[in-house]
Amino acid sequence: MKRPIKINFILPFKPRRPAGGFKVMYEYANRLKRKGYDVHLTFPIKTPFMQYRLPFFIRWGLSIVEGFRTCRWFDFDEGITMSYAFSVKDKYVTDADIVIATWWATVLDMGKLSPRKGKKINLIQGFENWDGHEDLLFESYDMKDTVNVVVASYLEELVSKYTDNEIVLIENGIDDSVFHVKREIAGRQPYTVAMNYSLQEIKGSKYGLDALYMVKERVPELQVELFSIFPEPDGLPDWIKFHRAPDDLPDLYNRNAIFISNSFTEGFGLVSVEAMFCGCALICTDIQGHKEYAFDGDTALLVEPGNAMQMAEKICCLIENDAERIAIAKHGNEYVQRFKWDNAVDKMDRVVKSLL
């Protein structure tokens, strides 16, 4: 009997809380497993250029103690195997037919692996220049015998400037069995707004909160729900409800009429698309990652990054013009239906098979 094709996913580290880029890799692992692949996940304990909170020997000890007994924020399918690796080197990484890595420093290490470790795929989920080292970032786009898979069209254009390697566009997927409209768009209270809160400056949460305080002065009925993997910020008023790592995220989206994203940079912006799948009208910053689905005045309203006043004006516009809010929410929901996991996995399946 012919053995199944083995795919090894190499992650930068093992996260303890939800993270968009990891969630995408995990979803690919589950869904490719369902297609009959033999799937393994590798978590290096040491990755170059990674800023660690704990020293190596403690991280190594924790990996032994924790193992893989639980993952509190993601459910892996039965049969997926996992291992820690001291680093991404041949002696620590399992042999496979295909190896897929994400984040430029992990990809540079993957590029040095022998052919026994598998044909190489670089999953590029954003323009990862926020920590500098752009020369190495661009080098990761041009690894020998590596296919670059990008999640957005602007990344396809960017990466093509630095390599002649094959580039395949596979937009991120959303699980529409989880994220969908449960509460009628037209029946929602227009003054309800949701936002993902982050301590990362590139997510622009400060400006989002500033905008919401401005809106509250003009629209006293305003009700806001924040969700986050981070602790609740100090001093939130009672009209802003805070949810840390909520289990009912689809319900949260469905309780709200408007979703705002204040990011200065996004690879794709998963939470915005999730909100659109659930019927929220999107107001977001005018950045490349959002432009895959946010078309001003049609599927979303766009604002300048860092402009809290403009964000407040756009929120008030949709609250006070319910017909426009409903139209944008419906157009947005219709447009994002193309971003379903079945489509993404079918495309990745074709990429994998083309390499073998």
Side-chain angles (χ1 to χ4, degrees):
M1 185 175 178
K2 187 177 180 181
R3 69 170 181 82
I5 296 167
K6 184 170 184 176
I7 300 179
N8 181 22
F9 289 86
I10 301 182
L11 289 300
F13 58 92
K14 189 172 185 293
R16 288 177 170 79
R17 295 190 178 277
F22 287 86
K23 183 179 179 183
V24 168
M25 293 281 272
Y26 289 176
E27 286 284 358
Y28 271 122
N30 269 359
R31 292 167 188 274
L32 289 172
K33 175 67 177 177
R34 294 168 199 170
K35 280 187 171 290
Y37 289 95
D38 178 3
V39 175
H40 185 81
L41 302 179
T42 298
F43 299 94
I45 300 172
K46 183 178 182 180
T47 298
F49 305 101
M50 183 71 67
Q51 296 180 0
Y52 294 103
R53 185 171 54 88
L54 299 172
F56 176 85
F57 75 92
I58 293 180
R59 300 197 307 276
W60 174 72
L62 286 173
S63 72
I64 296 173
V65 172
E66 293 181 350
F68 299 101
R69 293 188 301 275
T70 60
C71 180
R72 295 180 180 178
W73 63 272
F74 191 87
D75 294 325
F76 288 100
D77 285 5
E78 186 177 352
I80 291 177
T81 57
M82 305 181 191
S83 64
Y84 288 102
F86 282 170
S87 59
V88 182
K89 294 181 179 178
D90 278 345
K91 60 182 176 180
Y92 303 127
V93 174
T94 186
D95 291 352
D97 300 296
I98 297 289
V99 58
I100 304 176
T102 195
W103 193 56
W104 63 267
T106 315
V107 171
L108 288 175
D109 277 352
M110 177 187 71
K112 300 171 186 175
L113 295 175
S114 73
R116 299 193 315 277
K117 306 306 170 182
K119 300 293 183 66
K120 300 175 177 67
I121 296 175
N122 174 16
L123 181 57
I124 302 171
Q125 302 194 57
F127 183 39
E128 301 158 336
N129 65 338
W130 42 82
D131 291 325
H133 306 291
E134 282 198 359
D135 55 333
L136 296 175
L137 169 62
F138 298 145
E139 184 181 327
S140 75
Y141 297 159
D142 197 35
M143 302 303 297
K144 184 181 179 182
D145 300 324
T146 301
V147 172
N148 292 309
V149 172
V150 297
V151 302
S153 56
Y154 81 93
L155 290 170
E156 184 176 23
E157 182 179 350
L158 172 68
V159 173
S160 68
K161 297 176 182 177
Y162 300 96
T163 184
D164 291 324
N165 288 354
E166 182 181 2
I167 304 170
V168 181
L169 171 62
I170 306 180
E171 294 98 339
N172 278 335
I174 301 295
D175 188 345
D176 61 318
S177 69
V178 175
F179 297 99
H180 54 265
V181 175
K182 299 178 182 179
R183 182 174 296 183
E184 184 183 358
I185 291 172
R188 301 182 192 189
Q189 295 292 353
Y191 49 79
T192 54
V193 180
M195 184 183 100
N196 184 22
Y197 173 79
S198 176
L199 292 177
Q200 295 177 296
E201 290 187 13
I202 60 171
K203 298 299 185 180
S205 295
K206 173 185 180 301
Y207 301 98
L209 286 172
D210 288 347
L212 291 167
Y213 283 111
M214 294 180 199
V215 174
K216 185 66 174 178
E217 293 182 2
R218 181 163 153 181
V219 183
E221 307 97 322
L222 179 68
Q223 297 291 319
V224 175
E225 292 193 74
L226 301 185
F227 62 95
S228 180
I229 63 171
F230 298 101
E232 179 175 348
D234 295 333
L236 285 183
D238 57 9
W239 52 272
I240 299 180
K241 296 180 180 178
F242 185 86
H243 309 270
R244 190 172 187 188
D247 294 327
D248 64 340
L249 194 51
D251 291 338
L252 187 154
Y253 291 136
N254 271 273
R255 289 196 297 268
N256 289 277
I258 298 168
F259 182 83
I260 63 172
S261 176
N262 313 278
S263 296
F264 288 89
T265 180
E266 286 285 356
F268 184 76
L270 278 173
V271 291
S272 294
V273 184
E274 289 174 352
M276 296 169 81
F277 261 86
C278 293
C280 292
L282 177 66
I283 307 175
C284 62
T285 45
D286 189 2
I287 59 174
Q288 291 285 7
H290 287 152
K291 289 182 179 180
E292 298 298 305
Y293 44 81
F295 309 113
D296 195 30
D298 182 16
T299 63
L301 296 183
L302 300 181
V303 303
E304 298 172 358
N307 192 330
M309 179 71 73
Q310 193 176 66
M311 176 61 81
E313 286 296 324
K314 297 289 185 178
I315 296 170
C316 289
C317 174
L318 291 191
I319 291 175
E320 295 167 357
N321 297 275
D322 209 32
E324 183 175 3
R325 189 267 302 176
I326 293 168
I328 284 175
K330 288 185 174 180
H331 291 166
N333 179 262
E334 291 167 4
Y335 187 84
V336 297
Q337 297 306 313
R338 68 195 63 201
F339 305 126
K340 292 182 179 179
W341 264 116
D342 286 348
N343 297 335
V345 173
D346 285 346
K347 291 177 183 178
M348 185 64 82
D349 179 49
R350 290 196 291 271
V351 172
V352 168
K353 288 175 178 172
S354 73
L355 294 175
L356 300 174

